Amino acid sequence: MALKLGGRVTDSLGVVVLTGASGGIGRATAVALARAGFTLALVGRAPSGLAQTLGAVQAIGGKAEAFEQDVTDYPELEGLVHSIATRLGTVVGLVNNAGFAMVSPLEQMPLADFERVLAVNLTAVLALTQQVIPYLRAHGGGVIVNMASIAGVRTFPQWGAYCASKFGLVALSRTLAQELRLDGIRVTTLCPGAVDTPLWNDLDPAGYDRSRMLSPETVAQLVVQIFTLPAQAVLEEAILMPAGGAL
Ligand code: NAD
C-alpha cells in the first residue's frame, strides 16, 4: 500500500498508463488514481492540457510524468511503453480513455472522418493494449479499463461513427477480458452516459443540458474502485448513467 504522510504519497502501487490525460475524464481519473497511490503515465496530444493535469496530480502530492503522444501513431507505441516502464517503474494498469466524437448523418459522413473516429476510439486501443500486455504479464497481472460509452450499447442518430467505434470497443474489450483472464489481467468495459467534459464543446452547444450530465470526477471514482478491487475480483462491465435524465 502507498503510505500517505502529511497528505503526500510516499510509495506507489505501480504505474498506470492513462491515455487522453489532457482534460475531461482523463484529468479527473489521473488525480483520483494518484490520490489512491498509483503513479501515472499521462499520455496525450495536447501539451498544455497535459501540463495542467501533471500540475493537478503534483498539487495533491501524487507522482506522474507526461508523455506527448498521438495514440494513432501506432509504430511509436512500443517505444512509448518502453520509455514509461524505464522512467517510472512497474506497469500495473492501463486506462484506454482517449477518444473523440464527430457527428453527422451517416449518409453524408466523409469516409476519412469515419475512419479517423474508428482509428482513435478502436484501433488505437488495440495497438496500445498489445504493447502493454507483456508488461502486465511480467508483473503477474494487472488491470485494463476501456472507456467505452452508452453509445457502445445503444445507437443515436447522427452519432453513427461514434457508436460504431464504441460498439466495436465493447466487443474488443469483452474479447480481451476472455483472452487475458488466465494471465491475471482483469479487463473492464466502462460505459458512461453523458459526462460534462470538453468533448461536448463543439457539438451543438444549445442541444444538451450539461448540468444534468455526470461529472468527470464521478467516472474517475468508479475507475479507482475498479483498480482497488481485490485481485480475485473483476468488474467486467459497468454502465454508469446520470440519474437526472440526461443520456
Ligand atoms: P475530452 O475531449 O475531454 O477528452 C478526450 C481526450 O482524448 C483528450 O484529452 C484528447 O486530447 C484525447 N485524444 C483524442 N484523440 C487523441 C489521440 N489521437 N491521441 C491521444 N489522445 C487523444 O472528452 P472526455 O469526455 O473526457 O472523453 C474521454 C473518453 O470518455 C473518450 O473515450 C470518450 O469517448 C469517453 N466518453 C465520454 C462521454 C462524455 O459524455 N463526455 C461519455 C461516455 C464516454
Side-chain angles (χ1 to χ4, degrees):
M1 281 297 287
L3 297 172
K4 291 187 184 168
L5 298 174
R8 293 190 64 80
V9 178
T10 58
D11 192 9
S12 171
L13 296 176
V15 177
V16 177
V17 181
L18 168 67
T19 67
S22 54
I25 295 170
R27 179 170 303 153
T29 300
V31 170
L33 284 172
R35 191 174 280 122
F38 293 93
T39 297
L40 273 302
L42 306 170
V43 179
R45 276 179 319 176
S48 62
L50 276 179
Q52 281 182 51
T53 303
L54 185 59
V57 169
Q58 289 169 340
I60 56 135
K63 192 175 168 205
E65 198 166 317
F67 297 83
E68 201 181 321
Q69 178 69 57
D70 186 320
V71 289
T72 61
D73 289 340
Y74 310 129
E76 307 271 316
L77 299 181
E78 181 178 2
L80 170 76
V81 181
H82 177 73
S83 130
I84 287 170
T86 306
R87 295 182 63 82
L88 294 178
T90 307
V91 177
V92 301
L94 168 64
V95 183
N96 284 306
N97 170 70
F100 87 119
M102 294 176 95
V103 292
S104 160
L106 282 171
E107 184 183 0
Q108 285 143 32
M109 184 160 222
L111 291 182
D113 289 355
F114 185 80
E115 288 190 331
R116 181 70 192 153
V117 174
L118 289 187
V120 176
N121 293 358
L122 182 57
T123 311
V125 172
L126 177 60
L128 183 59
T129 302
Q130 285 176 337
Q131 296 305 327
V132 171
I133 286 170
Y135 291 86
L136 299 181
R137 220 179 248 131
H139 172 60
V143 174
I144 298 174
V145 176
N146 292 315
M147 199 62 73
S149 169
I150 190 65
V153 288
R154 287 184 210 161
T155 55
F156 303 92
Q158 315 278 334
W159 289 76
Y162 186 75
C163 289
S165 71
K166 294 295 188 181
F167 268 70
L169 178 55
V170 169
L172 180 91
S173 188
R174 286 179 182 168
T175 310
L176 281 170
Q178 293 166 327
E179 292 177 352
L180 299 175
R181 176 171 291 143
L182 293 181
D183 292 326
I185 300 173
R186 297 171 288 149
V187 181
T188 298
T189 309
L190 185 47
C191 296
V195 188
D196 184 11
T197 71
L199 179 134
W200 294 94
N201 289 357
D202 301 327
L203 306 169
D204 185 12
Y208 306 102
D209 181 355
R210 293 173 65 157
S211 69
R212 284 153 51 119
M213 295 181 179
L214 293 164
S215 76
E217 288 73 22
T218 303
V219 181
Q221 186 184 343
L222 182 53
V223 176
V224 170
Q225 286 172 341
I226 291 163
F227 267 87
T228 52
L229 280 171
Q232 300 83 352
V234 57
L235 184 66
E236 291 189 340
E237 295 191 33
I239 295 178
L240 181 69
M241 295 299 287
L247 285 173

